Amino acid sequence: MYAITIPEPGGPEALVWDEVPDPVAGEGEVLVEVVAGAVNRADLLQRQGFYNPPPGASPYPGLECSGRIAALGPGVSGWAVGDEVCALLTGGGYAEKVAVPAGQLLPVPQGLTIDQAAALPEVVCTVWSNVFMIAHLRPGETLLVHGGSSGIGTMAIQLAKAVGAKVAVTAGTKEKLDRCAELGADILINYREQDFVAELKQATDGAGADVILDNMGAKYLDRNVRALAVNGRLAIIGMQGGVKGELNIGALLGKRAAISATTLRARPAAEKAAIVAAVREHVWPLVSGGHVRPVIDREIPMPDAATAHRVVEDSSHIGKVLLVTPR
């Protein structure tokens, strides 16, 4: 098969479409013939040499994909060769084939094409596990999403609105904020021109956000705590703004607030399977019913993954960028 390899870390040009050995489905795994994958910022870090796959994982980038089951490994039940699926991966999505633990598979939802389904697993599992399973966003509460026009952001807006929450977002352009509004965002904040703490306080009569989904890390830590409501929950899922920040413990105590920080890739397979099962139970009916949809900016041929990485690196996209395998 062919896959995107990274002979040496570097810029987008470091991504090379090359012939590699076919993967084999092991115990409890299935082999998926990939139709499409999606680009995540973690892939950019891996390309740069900063985010190596966990031991035993595929060396190729790609944390989600869609395709058709080509073979079943020993001990797999409930799936059949030919089933159209999408999958949460530890790596290997930028390839023509990938071996996946059966617990990380999801059927392609009704109403979506097999290509479109590639935009779902990583973002839905990230949002559902952090905003709902950990931070316990409830109807009537306010969620602040940083990077509202990203793949994560566009999904978080829709899921929060689906459960009856109010949604605030930050983004850097009017076009991106307008798209967030179309998805249901109630409070629109241009982080280049406005102070999100002040804007959020004004829009919530001084209360702040009950839950904040943060991709920035250190840069926003102090302001995020100030933006939290009493009993608020800050869920950190990225570090685009750095890894070391100063935390005012007194402010956190005064608000009886909580901070969580998670990654998805390195979690044990059993934890990922539990998240995937929860997503299938709670989110898949919303997708099949048309209440939640992936936002896809563009599709790019997988051999040209370098172009896709440049798009994501420049933040010139809205939603997800897909990579489609040669047909």
Side-chain angles (χ1 to χ4, degrees):
M1 72 167 187
Y2 278 81
I4 290 291
T5 64
I6 309 172
E8 294 290 339
E13 68 283 352
L15 301 174
V16 178
W17 184 246
D18 200 2
E19 191 166 10
V20 298
D22 283 13
V24 176
E27 180 75 30
E29 294 182 333
V30 304
L31 185 66
V32 174
E33 288 185 346
V34 176
V35 170
V39 180
N40 291 280
R41 287 198 174 271
D43 303 334
L44 277 58
L45 291 174
Q46 180 174 339
R47 186 202 76 219
Q48 295 163 352
F50 300 133
Y51 193 33
N52 292 328
S58 170
Y60 317 122
L63 300 179
E64 57 192 335
C65 75
S66 60
R68 298 177 179 88
I69 294 178
L72 304 177
V76 173
S77 61
W79 299 98
V81 171
D83 284 349
E84 294 190 345
V85 296
C86 54
L88 178 68
L89 307 174
T90 309
Y94 290 21
E96 292 180 319
K97 298 176 184 178
V98 64
V100 188
Q104 293 168 216
L105 289 178
L106 289 156
V108 171
Q110 182 179 347
L112 293 189
T113 67
I114 194 169
D115 290 34
Q116 292 171 327
L120 287 174
E122 175 74 13
V123 294
V124 175
C125 289
T126 297
V127 172
W128 191 260
S129 62
N130 283 279
V131 175
F132 298 94
M133 296 175 74
I134 295 174
H136 302 292
L137 181 70
R138 294 182 286 267
E141 291 191 324
T142 297
L143 169 69
L144 170 60
V145 182
H146 290 302
S149 64
S150 66
I152 292 285
T154 53
M155 182 55 61
I157 294 168
Q158 295 179 79
L159 288 176
K161 295 301 291 186
V163 303
K166 188 175 185 178
V167 180
V169 298
T170 63
T173 68
K174 182 180 184 301
E175 177 192 8
K176 290 182 176 182
L177 289 172
D178 287 346
R179 188 70 181 99
C180 292
E182 291 172 9
L183 294 170
D186 306 283
I187 303 167
L188 309 174
I189 303 168
N190 187 324
Y191 68 81
R192 300 183 192 277
E193 302 172 356
Q194 298 169 294
D195 174 10
F196 72 80
V197 179
E199 295 295 325
L200 185 65
K201 293 284 189 179
Q202 182 177 358
T204 59
D205 296 324
D210 300 287
V211 176
I212 299 177
L213 185 63
D214 174 60
N215 61 347
M216 293 300 292
K219 184 178 180 179
Y220 279 9
L221 180 59
D222 177 68
R223 281 184 286 168
N224 278 333
V225 171
R226 288 192 279 123
L228 280 175
V230 174
N231 295 314
R233 291 86 74 195
L234 168 60
I236 300 173
I237 59 169
M239 47 190 179
Q240 293 179 40
V243 299
K244 293 183 179 181
E246 187 168 305
L247 176 63
N248 185 333
I249 301 295
L252 197 67
L253 286 169
K255 293 188 174 183
R256 302 187 295 280
I259 298 176
S260 63
T262 70
T263 60
L264 191 55
R265 185 181 201 178
R267 290 193 184 199
E271 289 187 18
K272 291 181 185 177
I275 293 169
V276 168
V279 162
R280 185 168 184 175
E281 178 183 356
H282 297 287
V283 180
W284 248 227
L286 296 173
V287 179
S288 296
H291 305 291
V292 172
R293 311 292 285 185
V295 176
I296 297 170
D297 187 274
R298 69 193 77 183
E299 296 186 4
I300 294 173
M302 192 173 287
D304 193 19
T307 295
H309 274 224
R310 291 186 183 99
V311 170
V312 174
E313 224 156 29
D314 292 343
S315 292
S316 58
H317 63 299
I318 294 176
K320 299 286 287 187
V321 175
L322 299 188
L323 296 170
V324 293
T325 54
R327 301 173 188 177

